[in-house]
Amino acid sequence: MARVCRVSIFFLFFSFVLAISSSESDPSPAGAGAEEEFVLTLDASNFSDTVGKSSFIVVEFYAPWCGHCKNLAPEYEKAASILSKHDPPVSLAKVDANDEVNKGLAGEYDVKGFPTLKILRDGGKSIQEYKGPREADGIVEYLKRQVGPASLEIKSAEDATTLVNGKIVIVGVFSKFQGEEFENFTALAEKLRSDYSFGHTLNAGILPQGDSTVNRPVVRLFKPFDELVVDFQDFHMDAMEKFVEEASVPILTFYNKDPSNHPYVIKFFNSPNAKALLFLNVSGEHFEAFKSKYHDIAKNYKGKGVSFLLGDIEASQGAFQYFGLKDDQVPLIIIQTNDGQKYLKQNLEPDHIAPWLKEYMDGSLKPFKKSEPIPEVNNEPVKIVVADNLHDVVFSSGKNVLLEFYAPWCGHCKKLAPILDEVAVSFENEADVVIAKIDATSNDIPSDVFEVQGYPTLYFSSASGNLVQYDGINSKEDIIDFVQKNRDTVVQSDSVKDEL
Ligand SMILES: *[C@@H]1O[C@H](CO)[C@@H](O)[C@H](O)[C@H]1NC(C)=O
Ligand SMILES: *[C@@H]1O[C@H](CO)[C@@H](O)[C@H](O)[C@H]1NC(C)=O
Ligand SMILES: *[C@@H]1O[C@H](CO)[C@@H](O)[C@H](O)[C@H]1NC(C)=O
């Protein structure tokens, strides 16, 4: 894979929060200069050896250019130093996944973005995603729980309150810690331990809230929102897992700077549903009216293929950038479907939401497309394309078009810019070749035509409409060769009309 800046809505959502939390935290990493490093550095030469000997090791796959990895590094090191004294030992390691020699490892562990953290147990035989916090104390607390038993026995009311403290906790209530139900529950706890906390008890009376006179065995899920407690009595593995997944999604996901909401935001983005996002100022005067109306709507739409999020604009700058929104448009609601369509209503009032959603469900809303204005002057060698003229320039002009998808913040794109300029200059006298670029952060890209997973991405559309992605080396000569090889010499031919 070429050198690209990776992008996902998820990272944009969190970039603001991460920047805040890292600037507030203690900036001094454990040990300056020559002191011992607690995080192990692994590479392809010693990875399997080290992992093979470890009963429990956490591996961070990072890239040197990745900003979130840099924010994590001092926290990770601090956590490693604290955990080095833990019994049983918890090792923290890192792998530079950008390094050629380690690319195979990154592939093997399904690394799609940076940083990716994996928990490896039993000499690497069991692999789980790290789903914990990203600051030192949170990492330590989460990993201590991961290295112990998957489900903790609850023997007293104190045990219960320690375990059930504002998180999702799943407790199995049994009449004995034996039998198939208990075994299935334990297997579920093992499987989902990186996502949730688990406990088991013989005594429902010591659990907070809820009815203590239960028919045992029962699975009781505690959550800090909605109904607070839900019971379930089917001990088939699949049924239990489905129950846990469904019961742990809030009716309304709340997005602000509070990190304790973030696991639910992750669930929200991982859901297969269409996503409704309402953004407003939570300190503003109409907040309560919006929240209660929106919550009722979310409840009514449960099970109908739409998930709901309420976001504070103070925390949502990344999302605003992603959608190309401005603060003066709030309160606003946006729906994003899985095929990339977007629907928007801005300057909302609480009573607007329900009728607008009904229109969406009826299919009578028109999608909205984010586009910069079509430039009036466009006489630089590299032409500027925007969403509103992309189709005209690339597919209807009958020309050979090389189009770069870039992001203004992307360093690899900045490096490519002068090279692309030279390429454009070299084709300046050939009217049938256009070298162009589009700011993919300010313009919607038709995802059914172009697959843009990182920046820069280059596509070439020949005069006859043959579309190919360039994934060679970003040198002037290589790009020119690529254009020469793929261009059609036909201009204004019938084949162009056939495409339209
Ligand atoms: C693995 O090898 C690299 C160099 O190839 C070295 O820098 C690193 O310290 C080694 N790690 C361990 C845990 O031995
Ligand atoms: C335990 O799970 C297995 C696999 O889903 C299932 O076949 C079995 O019936 C379950 N046992 C009980 C008591 O539900
Ligand atoms: C949100 O509302 C509060 C109170 O009205 C105001 O002070 C604050 O500036 C607003 N924030 C934004 C980003 O508009």
Side-chain angles (χ1 to χ4, degrees):
M1 182 145 219
R3 289 173 68 84
V4 292
C5 297
R6 282 173 193 266
V7 64
S8 83
I9 177 166
F10 179 72
F11 284 128
L12 287 167
F13 243 85
F14 281 92
S15 52
F16 187 64
V17 174
L18 290 172
I20 292 284
S21 57
S22 65
S23 66
E24 280 172 358
S25 64
D26 178 4
S28 63
E35 272 182 46
E36 188 178 357
E37 269 197 6
F38 289 94
V39 175
L40 301 173
T41 304
L42 300 181
D43 65 13
S45 74
N46 49 25
F47 184 91
S48 18
D49 223 36
T50 310
V51 168
K53 280 188 281 200
S54 310
S55 58
F56 186 98
I57 185 167
V58 184
V59 180
E60 181 206 3
F61 295 89
Y62 73 99
W65 45 260
C66 147
H68 296 305
C69 306
K70 285 180 195 148
N71 290 342
L72 177 62
E75 302 292 327
Y76 196 59
E77 176 62 29
K78 196 166 153 194
S81 89
I82 297 169
L83 287 167
S84 66
K85 296 169 194 84
H86 190 263
D87 181 32
V90 176
S91 311
L92 272 58
K94 61 179 180 184
V95 172
D96 177 354
N98 202 55
D99 193 326
E100 277 309 319
V101 299
N102 297 329
K103 290 235 161 114
L105 280 177
E108 196 180 319
Y109 285 89
D110 198 26
V111 173
K112 296 209 184 76
F114 300 115
T116 292
L117 288 92
K118 303 273 178 181
I119 298 171
L120 313 182
R121 294 170 208 271
D122 298 335
K125 286 194 213 80
S126 143
I127 305 168
Q128 271 169 334
E129 198 80 26
Y130 175 95
K131 304 242 176 92
R134 302 263 168 118
E135 41 60 51
D137 293 343
I139 297 172
V140 170
E141 194 208 335
Y142 177 84
L143 289 179
K144 278 185 180 166
R145 224 176 55 227
Q146 295 303 313
V147 76
S151 176
L152 298 175
E153 187 183 346
I154 301 172
K155 294 182 186 150
S156 64
E158 291 75 54
D159 286 355
T161 29
T162 315
L163 190 63
V164 183
N165 67 348
K167 304 183 302 270
I168 294 177
V169 180
I170 299 140
V171 179
V173 184
F174 299 94
S175 47
K176 55 181 187 329
F177 295 146
Q178 274 168 5
E180 224 182 298
E181 285 92 352
F182 181 68
E183 278 164 24
N184 282 3
F185 179 80
T186 309
L188 182 78
E190 203 55 70
K191 180 167 184 197
L192 300 182
R193 66 180 300 167
S194 70
D195 298 83
Y196 311 99
S197 298
F198 286 84
H200 53 276
T201 187
L202 299 172
N203 184 357
I206 58 180
L207 299 177
Q209 302 140 354
D211 184 4
S212 63
T213 58
V214 288
N215 286 324
R216 293 174 293 180
V218 66
V219 179
R220 180 163 284 185
L221 184 142
F222 294 91
K223 51 182 169 178
F225 50 81
D226 302 339
E227 325 88 304
L228 304 177
V229 181
V230 205
D231 283 354
F232 192 70
Q233 285 196 294
D234 182 346
F235 279 81
H236 282 77
M237 292 296 292
D238 293 347
M240 260 194 300
E241 187 171 350
K242 185 156 181 277
F243 159 73
V244 169
E245 290 300 336
E246 282 173 6
S248 60
V249 176
I251 290 170
L252 186 57
T253 300
F254 201 56
Y255 178 69
N256 59 7
K257 289 178 196 163
D258 178 359
S260 65
N261 287 320
H262 294 172
Y264 308 113
V265 178
I266 296 170
K267 272 181 171 290
F268 175 84
F269 282 108
N270 284 340
S271 138
N273 286 344
K275 290 163 190 77
L277 308 114
L278 175 68
F279 291 109
L280 80 177
N281 183 347
V282 303
S283 324
E285 49 180 329
H286 300 301
F287 175 65
E288 285 304 327
F290 270 107
K291 187 178 163 194
S292 84
K293 284 252 155 66
Y294 195 51
H295 186 271
D296 291 349
I297 291 167
K299 211 164 159 183
N300 286 339
Y301 277 88
K302 203 173 160 121
K304 294 188 183 153
V306 188
S307 299
F308 292 84
L309 176 139
L310 180 65
D312 181 10
I313 51 166
E314 299 268 353
S316 304
Q317 292 309 311
F320 270 46
Q321 247 174 39
Y322 178 85
F323 289 116
L325 301 168
K326 302 266 170 328
D327 281 359
D328 64 7
Q329 290 173 283
V330 298
L332 64 84
I333 184 166
I334 193 157
I335 291 181
Q336 183 166 41
T337 63
N338 290 330
D339 57 6
Q341 298 283 36
K342 290 197 281 277
Y343 302 87
L344 170 72
K345 184 159 178 71
Q346 57 186 28
N347 305 123
L348 269 186
E349 285 175 28
D351 289 335
H352 290 159
I353 309 171
W356 185 76
L357 269 162
K358 189 171 176 309
E359 280 184 57
Y360 164 74
M361 294 303 274
D362 295 345
S364 52
L365 284 184
K366 208 166 121 347
F368 118 98
K369 183 163 77 176
K370 178 172 74 171
S371 180
E372 293 178 298
I374 296 175
E376 283 170 25
V377 193
N378 203 352
N379 51 16
E380 293 296 317
V382 177
K383 302 298 172 212
I384 293 164
V385 170
V386 299
D388 283 341
N389 69 359
L390 185 142
H391 192 271
D392 290 347
V393 174
V394 179
F395 298 113
S396 322
S397 65
K399 295 188 177 178
N400 297 291
V401 183
L402 180 75
L403 180 62
E404 180 209 6
F405 298 87
Y406 75 96
W409 46 259
C410 161
H412 297 303
C413 305
K414 289 188 185 123
K415 274 195 212 127
L416 180 62
I419 297 170
L420 211 58
D421 259 336
E422 289 178 40
V423 173
V425 168
S426 82
F427 283 108
E428 231 163 15
N429 295 325
E430 305 190 38
D432 63 331
V433 176
V434 175
I435 310 297
K437 63 178 179 185
I438 181 165
D439 176 352
T441 66
S442 303
N443 293 283
D444 279 338
I445 308 303
S447 60
D448 49 338
V449 184
F450 302 101
E451 197 183 330
V452 180
Q453 286 180 336
Y455 306 123
T457 293
L458 290 138
Y459 268 93
F460 182 78
S461 171
S462 75
S464 59
N466 205 3
L467 191 67
V468 274
Q469 189 174 350
Y470 175 77
D471 69 9
I473 298 160
N474 289 340
S475 78
K476 177 187 162 191
E477 292 72 25
D478 280 322
I479 299 175
I480 292 175
D481 273 358
F482 172 78
V483 171
Q484 295 294 17
K485 218 182 296 153
N486 288 286
R487 69 191 282 195
D488 297 322
T489 40
V490 263
V491 186
Q492 302 298 336
S493 74
D494 288 345
S495 63
V496 174
K497 289 189 199 106
D498 290 346
E499 287 295 313
L500 300 178

